[in-house]
Amino acid sequence: FLSLVAEFCCGFFVILILGNFWFLAVLYLLWLYLDWETPCTGGRRSQWVRSWTVWKYFREYFPIHLIKTSDLNPNHNYLLGFHPHGVLVAGAFGNFCTGPSFKNLFPGLTPYLHIMPIWFGCPFFREYVMSAGMVSASKESVSYVLSNEGGGHASVIVIGGAEESLNAHPGSLTLNILKRKGFIKMALKHGAHLVPVFSFGENELFKQVANPKGSWLRNVQEKLQKIMGFALPLFHARGVFQYSFGLIPYRQPIHTVVGSPIPVKRNLNPTTEEIEQLHALYLQKLKKLFEEHKRNYGIPEHKSLIFE
């Protein structure tokens, strides 16, 4: 979805350059130069954009729900780990970038959804995603959000990243997380409380072409992901007037469950052992969150999360 909008924005920019409006393109490039650091310094959200009626229909289509399991004290900053990535990351966008659900459930907290820095190099598209409350996933950007004195900020990071989208098959419960510990180190450095978030239904929105590890398709996808920075899952779902084939996601309910916070004491120079310990605790809490709620959302009793 993001890539389609980005392609449209880039195409529009090319039209400006090749057409009679090249001077507008030059002015925008100047603006881009002057505004380059904004995605790393909290972005530039617009409540008007975040409240567009189209997002209400977007959330109701699946529908998307946000479930609270514990209070989050607005006097602290938080790092929310979102799982799984899925293909669309619909739960993260629908709950943290649009609508009043998060604000109503967690008053006093402002969510910032971190996405790959590459998206902020796309003309016009960067303005759109920033207006929705998205910021860069760079270390500088996460540090900026979590450094807010007095608390009240919540960094939302899709921990599995683009690589995990290649596992986004219906019924899949595989998370790319065992080697991902940068978010743990960031939480320790800023004393940001960790909050596991699991979005039930995220992997059910599309059917992806079979790409088991070791297959030629998976090897090609992983190589392209390393080169470009984002993955290219081959997926399909339904059409506008039929349900057999198309690119419109299936109407499957998404329940994004926000877990209880893991208190984190600030440690500017955490040791490897301290990072490992907190990482293990986070995995434990994430698994507990999943096990406590899976029955409510159609997950068979015998199924559990798989960490890779």
Side-chain angles (χ1 to χ4, degrees), residues 173-174 287 290-291 294 299-306:
L173 296 173
T174 301
K287 186 174 183 179
F290 174 82
E291 293 294 331
K294 68 180 183 181
I299 306 295
E301 184 66 32
H302 68 278
K303 285 203 168 187
S304 297
L305 293 178
I306 300 172

Side-chain angles (χ1 to χ4, degrees), residues 15-70:
I15 292 174
L16 289 181
I17 295 176
L18 299 179
N20 295 324
F21 302 97
W22 59 267
F23 60 95
L24 293 178
V26 173
L27 288 176
Y28 183 80
L29 286 176
L30 177 60
W31 162 256
L32 193 63
Y33 173 77
L34 296 174
D35 194 58
W36 190 255
E37 296 300 322
T38 301
C40 294
T41 54
R44 185 171 47 247
R45 67 182 56 217
S46 165
Q47 190 55 41
W48 175 66
V49 173
R50 289 166 60 87
S51 302
W52 281 351
T53 303
V54 66
W55 303 136
K56 175 177 178 290
Y57 293 126
F58 172 79
R59 294 190 302 275
E60 292 178 350
Y61 171 80
F62 297 99
I64 296 174
H65 304 280
L66 186 66
I67 292 87
K68 172 183 176 179
T69 64
S70 176

Side-chain angles (χ1 to χ4, degrees), residues 35 46 120 135 186 193 200 206 295 298:
D35 194 58
S46 165
F120 296 100
V135 293
M186 193 65 67
H193 295 353
F200 292 90
F206 297 92
R295 301 172 191 81

Side-chain angles (χ1 to χ4, degrees), residues 1-307:
F1 176 74
L2 284 178
S3 60
L4 289 175
V5 179
E7 288 175 8
F8 173 81
C9 292
C10 288
F12 179 70
F13 184 70
V14 171
I15 292 174
L16 289 181
I17 295 176
L18 299 179
N20 295 324
F21 302 97
W22 59 267
F23 60 95
L24 293 178
V26 173
L27 288 176
Y28 183 80
L29 286 176
L30 177 60
W31 162 256
L32 193 63
Y33 173 77
L34 296 174
D35 194 58
W36 190 255
E37 296 300 322
T38 301
C40 294
T41 54
R44 185 171 47 247
R45 67 182 56 217
S46 165
Q47 190 55 41
W48 175 66
V49 173
R50 289 166 60 87
S51 302
W52 281 351
T53 303
V54 66
W55 303 136
K56 175 177 178 290
Y57 293 126
F58 172 79
R59 294 190 302 275
E60 292 178 350
Y61 171 80
F62 297 99
I64 296 174
H65 304 280
L66 186 66
I67 292 87
K68 172 183 176 179
T69 64
S70 176
D71 290 332
L72 298 181
N73 189 334
N75 293 325
H76 297 296
N77 291 318
Y78 297 88
L79 195 159
L80 278 62
F82 183 92
H83 313 270
H85 184 287
V87 171
L88 191 61
V89 205
F93 180 77
N95 286 311
F96 303 118
C97 294
T98 72
S101 294
F102 188 87
K103 182 178 180 181
N104 292 339
L105 292 177
F106 304 103
L109 283 182
T110 301
Y112 294 81
L113 179 59
H114 296 269
I115 63 175
M116 291 184 296
I118 189 175
W119 295 118
F120 296 100
C122 180
F124 301 115
F125 179 72
R126 69 190 297 274
E127 321 303 335
Y128 159 69
V129 294
M130 278 197 291
S131 65
M134 288 179 256
V135 293
S136 173
S138 67
K139 292 180 181 179
E140 296 78 12
S141 177
V142 177
S143 291
Y144 183 90
V145 173
L146 297 182
S147 295
N148 188 52
E149 293 186 7
H153 280 189
S155 280
V156 183
I157 301 177
V158 184
I159 305 299
E163 183 181 358
E164 192 173 85
S165 68
L166 300 178
N167 290 327
H169 296 272
S172 173
L173 296 173
T174 301
L175 304 181
N176 292 69
I177 191 172
L178 291 181
K179 296 181 180 179
R180 296 178 181 267
K181 300 171 185 176
F183 74 104
I184 298 292
K185 186 175 182 179
M186 193 65 67
L188 282 166
K189 283 190 171 183
H190 294 280
H193 295 353
L194 282 167
V195 182
V197 179
F198 196 88
S199 194
F200 292 90
E202 201 74 44
N203 284 339
E204 319 305 316
L205 306 186
F206 297 92
K207 292 180 180 178
Q208 190 172 167
V209 175
N211 60 341
K213 284 187 176 293
S215 65
W216 70 268
L217 176 58
R218 186 59 167 258
N219 290 336
V220 170
Q221 289 175 320
E222 289 176 347
K223 288 180 180 178
L224 289 175
Q225 188 261 323
K226 290 179 180 179
I227 294 173
M228 299 184 297
F230 56 90
L232 292 173
L234 299 179
F235 60 88
H236 68 88
R238 54 163 290 187
V240 178
F241 301 110
Q242 45 76 29
Y243 292 85
S244 57
F245 189 82
L247 294 179
I248 298 176
Y250 293 115
R251 297 192 70 177
Q252 296 289 339
I254 298 172
H255 295 88
T256 304
V257 184
V258 181
S260 300
I262 303 171
V264 177
K265 187 176 181 180
R266 190 178 186 188
N267 184 347
L268 294 177
N269 296 292
T271 64
T272 301
E273 182 181 359
E274 290 169 331
I275 294 173
E276 293 285 351
Q277 288 178 349
L278 184 55
H279 186 259
L281 177 60
Y282 179 86
L283 294 183
Q284 177 186 333
K285 295 295 185 180
L286 174 59
K287 186 174 183 179
K288 181 181 178 183
L289 177 70
F290 174 82
E291 293 294 331
E292 288 179 346
H293 294 273
K294 68 180 183 181
R295 301 172 191 81
N296 299 331
Y297 307 116
I299 306 295
E301 184 66 32
H302 68 278
K303 285 203 168 187
S304 297
L305 293 178
I306 300 172
F307 297 143

